[in-house]
Amino acid sequence: MTTRRIDIIDIHVHVRTGDHAKVWERDRYVPANQEGFSDHPDAMADMYRELNGMAVIFDIDDETRTGLKASNEEIAQWVAKYPDVYIGFGSVDPWKGKAAIIEVERCAALGLKGIKFHPAVQDFAPNDPRFFPLWETCARLGLAVLFHSGTTMAGAGQPGGAGIRLEYGRPIPYIDDIAARFPELRIIMAHPAWPWHEEQLAILRHKPNVFMDLSGWAPKYIPESVIRYANSLVQDKVFFGSDFPMLTPHRWLREFAELPIKDSVRPKILRDNAARFLGLAHLIENALPASNQGQERT
């Protein structure tokens, strides 16, 4: 439990682990950011401390499709090394059947708080009944699930988009279906789900167990309807996320400070909603108001 003042919680940060760390120079899924910030977890910990922040870190296990396995143990090790900064989510390859269930259980035993899935990159439909045991297990263990939603830069510009099917990032039917079937499963839709962000907003309004983060988009490019709903009807269900190292929290915060967000809503998005979701509500009481922190760092 951190005793630092926390102004922001970045709920979407990538860390290379396992095979991904070994071939990072050839891993084009997580490109270097243009501002020169290191994505090594040691350097990232310093970066988030300087921002008075914490970060949810994870990798993506897509071994079936790419042959590259991620390491949930390494995520847990980084959390153990920097418990005042990092919150860990695991990742499992959904195509591994019983082994995937065992890995989810192991993630819980490691103290990780959720599981990250990327349906397009992992090439699966979340509402396929073959994967229902995954959602049942996550719900039983109290693990949140973070699903990539919308388009993806993975495979962009490659022949056939490297075989990646964008449809699997669509909120309806995929996320809506499992949210209805598993009402105790806490779901985060990662990113504004362009070009299906209107479906995403509809689910947020309709399903109490579904939330979203604003990662992956520089705020000035976030669709206007997402900003309007985040500022009003779904203000308690939206989280700050950067998608670092693709986008730095520094740039995201600078641009977020320019958006027409109410002063009463700004701290909810930057910290409070995620703190409550992650069981860290004490951070709200310990911190100074976060509503002005974006302006302070522009």
Side-chain angles (χ1 to χ4, degrees):
M1 180 180 297
T2 181
T3 58
R4 291 188 297 117
R5 189 189 87 218
I6 300 298
D7 292 335
I8 62 170
I9 298 176
D10 187 339
I11 207 162
H12 197 113
V13 178
H14 291 266
V15 173
R16 295 184 179 96
T17 68
D19 296 334
H20 296 141
K22 298 173 185 176
V23 299
W24 69 267
E25 72 279 0
R26 293 184 280 115
D27 182 5
R28 296 274 57 88
Y29 177 67
V30 184
N33 64 85
Q34 297 180 348
E35 297 179 64
F37 288 95
S38 171
D39 65 350
H40 190 282
D42 286 326
M44 285 168 44
D46 291 337
M47 178 180 74
Y48 280 100
R49 282 201 189 100
E50 291 173 1
L51 291 170
N52 292 329
M54 298 183 73
V56 172
I57 59 171
F58 50 77
D59 200 354
I60 300 171
D61 192 347
D62 53 359
E63 185 178 13
T64 296
R65 193 182 68 82
T66 67
L68 301 176
K69 180 174 175 56
S71 171
N72 293 315
E73 293 92 340
E74 290 180 30
I75 294 293
Q77 289 166 5
W78 288 118
V79 173
K81 186 174 183 179
Y82 299 109
D84 66 315
V85 180
Y86 292 145
I87 302 153
F89 276 26
S91 182
V92 302
D93 186 331
W95 290 106
K96 293 184 178 180
K98 179 60 177 177
I101 301 299
I102 293 172
E103 187 65 17
V104 168
E105 294 172 338
R106 201 161 65 89
C107 285
L110 287 168
L112 303 181
K113 303 301 182 183
I115 307 292
K116 161 70 173 180
F117 294 95
H118 195 315
V121 165
Q122 294 173 314
D123 196 31
F124 79 106
N127 66 344
D128 186 321
R130 287 178 292 180
F131 306 116
F132 285 0
L134 277 174
W135 319 139
E136 293 168 352
T137 303
C138 289
R140 173 174 56 84
L141 296 172
L143 295 172
V145 288
L146 175 65
F147 286 105
H148 177 98
S149 60
T151 190
T152 178
M153 53 76 62
Q158 299 180 31
I164 291 173
R165 288 176 279 190
L166 295 180
E167 179 191 6
Y168 288 155
R170 187 163 190 168
I172 297 177
Y174 300 114
I175 302 305
D176 185 61
D177 195 358
I178 64 171
R181 292 177 183 272
F182 304 96
E184 295 182 358
L185 181 67
R186 297 181 304 141
I187 299 170
I188 306 171
M189 289 186 284
H191 319 304
W194 183 86
W196 306 294
H197 50 285
E198 304 290 347
E199 294 181 2
Q200 180 181 44
L201 295 171
I203 296 172
L204 259 64
R205 285 287 288 159
H206 193 256
K207 301 293 191 299
N209 56 324
V210 182
F211 301 75
M212 72 173 290
D213 74 42
L214 297 175
S215 68
W217 288 66
K220 66 181 178 181
Y221 295 119
I222 294 175
E224 188 277 333
S225 60
V226 174
I227 297 299
R228 185 172 69 252
Y229 272 72
N231 201 28
S232 55
L233 295 175
V234 298
Q235 62 182 271
D236 296 319
K237 305 187 77 180
V238 179
F239 308 139
F240 158 49
S242 65
D243 212 11
F244 187 79
M246 272 80 81
L247 185 68
T248 68
H250 306 75
R251 178 182 176 184
W252 197 98
L253 291 168
R254 286 196 303 268
E255 293 189 13
F256 183 71
E258 301 301 319
L259 295 180
I261 302 294
K262 300 170 187 173
D263 288 343
S264 60
V265 173
R266 195 172 295 273
K268 291 184 177 183
I269 294 174
L270 293 177
R271 181 195 62 218
D272 297 358
N273 292 341
R276 295 188 177 98
F277 184 90
L278 295 166
L280 301 172
H282 66 280
L283 297 177
I284 302 171
E285 301 173 359
N286 295 345
L288 296 175
S291 58
N292 295 323
Q293 63 82 39
Q295 289 91 331
E296 292 169 1
R297 299 189 180 96
T298 55

